[in-house]
Amino acid sequence: MTPPSGDAGSSNTLDNLLTESRTFPPSAEFAAEANAKPALYEQAAADREAFWAEQAEQLHWHTPFTKVLDWTDAPFAKWFLGGRINVAYNCVDRHVASGHGEQVAIHWEGEPGDTRTITYANLKDEVSKAANALASLGLVAGDRVAIYMPMVPEAIFAMLACARLGLPHSVVFAGFSAEALRSRIEDASARLVITTDGQYRRGKPAALKPAVDEAVASNPSVEHVLVVRRTESEVDWTDGRDLWWHDLVEAQSTEHTAEAFDAEHPLYILYTSGTTGKPKGILHTSGGYLTQAAYTHRNVFDLKPETDVYWCTADIGWVTGHSYIVYGPLANRATQVVYEGTPNTPHEGRHWEIVQKYGVSIYYTAPTLIRTFMKWGADIPAKYDLSSLRVLGSVGEPINPEAWMWYREHVGANRTPIVDTWWQTETGAIMISPLPGVTSTKPGSAMGPLPGIGAKVVDEAGNEVGKGGGGYLVLDQPWPSMLRGIWGDEARFRETYWSRFESQGFYFAGDGAKYDTDGAIWLLGRVDDVMNVSGHRISTTEVESALVSHPTVAEAAVVGAADPTTGQGIVAFVILRGDAVDGGDAAVQALRNHVAKEIGPIAKPRQIMVVPELPKTRSGKIMRRLLRDVAENRQVGDVTTLADSTVMNLISAGLQKGS
Ligand code: WT7
């Protein structure tokens, strides 16, 4: 593990953080109307458990909980003991019961321009039908369901139907490969896979079901594949196994009674990359997860269900889509936009056109997209009426101050608060963020832990560093939406998150961070071998394994190199086999495509360099630091711990020759 260096891909270097002195206090008008008040911090500090109990009580409990937290079996937390709850009831039925059935839940915008308007009453019907359909297949609480779908409304219906029946879902991003889907289905022994025939991507339909057919072929646990028709693409069909959504679901009754489950009943598994090749199945449960997803969504985005139109641009394949498209917003009775497609289809103003069309007031996106908008030019958002916007959010990686300022000026008209929200798949919900109307923000800083959350920056020994000091980010208190483990791998759960600061009992997040002289937190990027490409977590080992699985590759080393748009870009160094083809363009292209096929297009290396050797220590560990120097065109650092100190000369000489 390398200590935090501050070169986390964006320009959040220690130097420019130390000179960042701009602050933006909330306006008096915003503060007067804000959901969050400064007193939240005091209230949570005075009695954390009472604070969380109060947040949980905003949900509907079929049976009230009797105890807030049991941490005696740490690191396995239990929250809201004795409580029984149905997550889908809270996200859907409850709003119809309170007289808001006619309120729009989802303004859905398809990539080709088709639209659907779904009220809470419609949502209740759709989710009930889907739940009846899943029950008719014999699925019972506890069974796992894999969901491999683009951003169509049925994906949300499917997730909620699973939640309603207590079937933990495992959503797999539809951009992942058949192999990635296969291994996730296998790890969770899913009984059902829900998918679509195809998906629209950049104006064209692309097939999706063939990947499911491939993934399911070797997975005996899967009994059925339920297919939503989206692109009318031709599909292969396995009778008895494959079912059309429009046949099975549409025929069902819209009546379905939601049954309550224990607060700790598993809600979902979501896979994320770790430092080894095998993705981790992060497990989330019901009561605590929904409590924190709803609480953070209400306060961090200042959601007013009567008037706001909220839009989170993430995909349901990532945790942001789970917590801030599905569970948090729907629990809070938000009216939201869900968009199927890419931001430049059919033109680079698509997002702003959508903001204008629906009067979006809260917009939540990722720094990589903000930097892409910057590249496309400020004249594009300037063509649209963005005056409805009142809160802007950012998530996924450190946001560099330049992008933050651009976002504020060209999207937020120098008026809207920006919330930079730090969290992870594992944390389930936002942990560190300003509160709009309360916190004075600084461009590039996530500021501080939310009320009820404990986060600190500590040194190697676990001691909190002082103001101006840097180190590791830890979470020192259990929180309601924390992961309840890694599916099927307790040892890895303990090792990955809890062993680094075992004596202190801290959760180790894997991020470097620092305090500025005012005590605000600045995130500096991962300190492990995990890359952050466009806000997506990809492990270096995962890409290395994909590369060496190609017959021409003898050895591979992968690093994340700073990239002006994607935060980090994947740069691979490969040694080809003796008898393999030359390292020409065609060979490199073939390798890039091979990685895309093995993992998914998001893991395609930006650059592959064919080299004669890799720099290794005497114990055989690849020195990625030196390769990162090469990838970022820097003077190569200290080589004295290399087994063969001439290797770096060989690499540099070879690359110059090749270029
Ligand atoms: C990692 C978690 C949380 C949803 C999206 C990513 C990085 C996330 C921020 C932020 C700096 C951030 C961290 C974290 N990260 N948000 N606001 N500032 N870094 O979820 O795939 O689980 O990745 O993303 O490195 O550990 P994820």
Side-chain angles (χ1 to χ4, degrees), residues 386 389 392 406-416:
L386 306 181
L389 289 168
L392 300 176
W406 189 94
Y407 198 23
R408 180 180 154 85
E409 182 180 342
H410 298 288
V411 181
N414 290 316
R415 174 179 48 82
T416 59

Side-chain angles (χ1 to χ4, degrees), residues 509-544:
D511 281 40
K514 79 179 295 289
Y515 291 125
D516 67 15
T517 46
D518 297 327
I521 296 177
W522 296 73
L523 277 312
L524 301 173
R526 304 286 309 187
V527 294
D528 50 15
D529 290 333
V530 173
M531 298 172 287
N532 188 325
V533 182
S534 299
H536 302 314
R537 236 205 269 187
I538 302 169
S539 87
T540 53
T541 353
E542 222 175 335
V543 179
E544 287 164 4

Side-chain angles (χ1 to χ4, degrees), residues 116-441:
R116 283 168 73 178
T117 306
I118 299 155
T119 64
Y120 274 96
N122 300 148
L123 188 61
K124 178 169 176 283
D125 288 350
E126 296 299 334
V127 173
S128 299
K129 282 191 287 184
N132 283 322
L134 300 194
S136 78
L137 297 177
L139 295 164
V140 293
D143 287 343
R144 274 81 61 200
V145 175
I147 297 178
Y148 184 63
M149 296 173 86
M151 293 290 289
V152 291
E154 287 82 1
I156 297 172
F157 306 158
M159 289 169 76
L160 290 167
C162 287
R164 195 173 183 96
L165 296 172
L167 309 169
H169 55 67
S170 162
V171 180
V172 180
F173 175 55
F176 274 134
S177 66
E179 171 51 29
L181 174 63
R182 191 202 60 74
S183 64
R184 284 159 176 77
I185 292 174
E186 179 179 79
D187 188 68
S189 307
R191 286 185 67 188
L192 172 70
V193 181
I194 310 180
T195 189
T196 61
D197 52 354
Q199 59 178 331
Y200 287 103
R201 230 53 203 152
R202 303 188 191 285
K204 287 201 245 10
L208 197 58
K209 182 158 183 292
V212 179
D213 293 335
E214 194 182 328
V216 166
S218 58
N219 264 310
S221 67
V222 176
E223 294 158 26
H224 291 289
V225 176
L226 183 55
V227 189
V228 172
R229 188 141 69 196
R230 172 61 184 140
T231 52
E232 313 268 335
S233 322
E234 279 288 310
V235 290
D236 287 342
W237 204 252
T238 303
D239 284 327
R241 186 197 70 185
D242 297 349
L243 303 160
W244 282 114
W245 178 284
H246 55 258
D247 289 337
L248 181 73
V249 178
E250 291 313 321
Q252 304 291 328
S253 156
T254 54
E255 294 301 315
H256 181 270
T257 307
E259 184 194 331
F261 296 98
D262 189 272
E264 286 298 337
H265 188 81
L267 178 64
Y268 68 81
I269 305 166
L270 184 59
Y271 289 82
T272 186
S273 293
T275 51
T276 68
K278 189 175 181 282
K280 303 175 282 198
I282 303 301
L283 175 66
H284 284 291
T285 61
S286 303
Y289 172 80
L290 194 63
T291 295
Q292 194 175 330
Y295 153 75
T296 51
H297 181 258
R298 189 165 56 243
N299 289 291
V300 173
F301 300 110
D302 192 46
L303 182 88
K304 307 284 198 298
E306 266 74 32
T307 46
D308 277 316
V309 178
Y310 165 84
W311 182 17
C312 166
T313 69
D315 188 285
I316 49 140
W318 312 109
V319 74
T320 308
H322 284 60
S323 301
Y324 297 107
I325 294 177
V326 182
Y327 295 111
L330 296 177
N332 289 337
R333 190 169 43 89
T335 293
Q336 67 177 320
V337 169
V338 173
Y339 173 53
E340 179 185 38
T342 44
N344 51 353
T345 307
H347 57 80
E348 290 168 348
R350 186 71 190 264
H351 274 214
W352 316 125
E353 186 179 71
I354 292 174
V355 167
Q356 175 179 290
K357 174 174 174 186
Y358 294 103
V360 171
S361 54
I362 306 169
Y363 178 78
Y364 189 28
T365 195
T368 185
L369 192 57
I370 299 167
R371 291 191 297 264
T372 303
F373 291 143
M374 287 172 75
K375 222 165 47 184
W376 291 345
D379 54 317
I380 295 177
K383 285 186 220 147
Y384 298 87
D385 177 6
L386 306 181
S387 60
S388 55
L389 289 168
R390 61 178 203 91
V391 180
L392 300 176
S394 172
V395 63
E397 58 173 311
I399 178 167
N400 43 310
E402 298 76 8
W404 196 102
M405 290 301 295
W406 189 94
Y407 198 23
R408 180 180 154 85
E409 182 180 342
H410 298 288
V411 181
N414 290 316
R415 174 179 48 82
T416 59
I418 296 181
V419 288
D420 174 13
T421 63
W422 179 92
W423 59 296
Q424 308 177 297
T425 305
E426 291 86 342
T427 69
I430 298 169
M431 303 292 284
I432 303 177
S433 169
L435 284 175
V438 177
T439 315
S440 292
T441 53

Side-chain angles (χ1 to χ4, degrees), residues 27 85 407-408 428-429 437-438 444 512 516 568 577 589 621 627 640:
S27 73
I85 190 165
Y407 198 23
R408 180 180 154 85
V438 177
D516 67 15
Q568 286 188 309
R577 285 181 192 276
Q589 239 352 297
K621 203 176 173 314
L627 293 175
T640 50

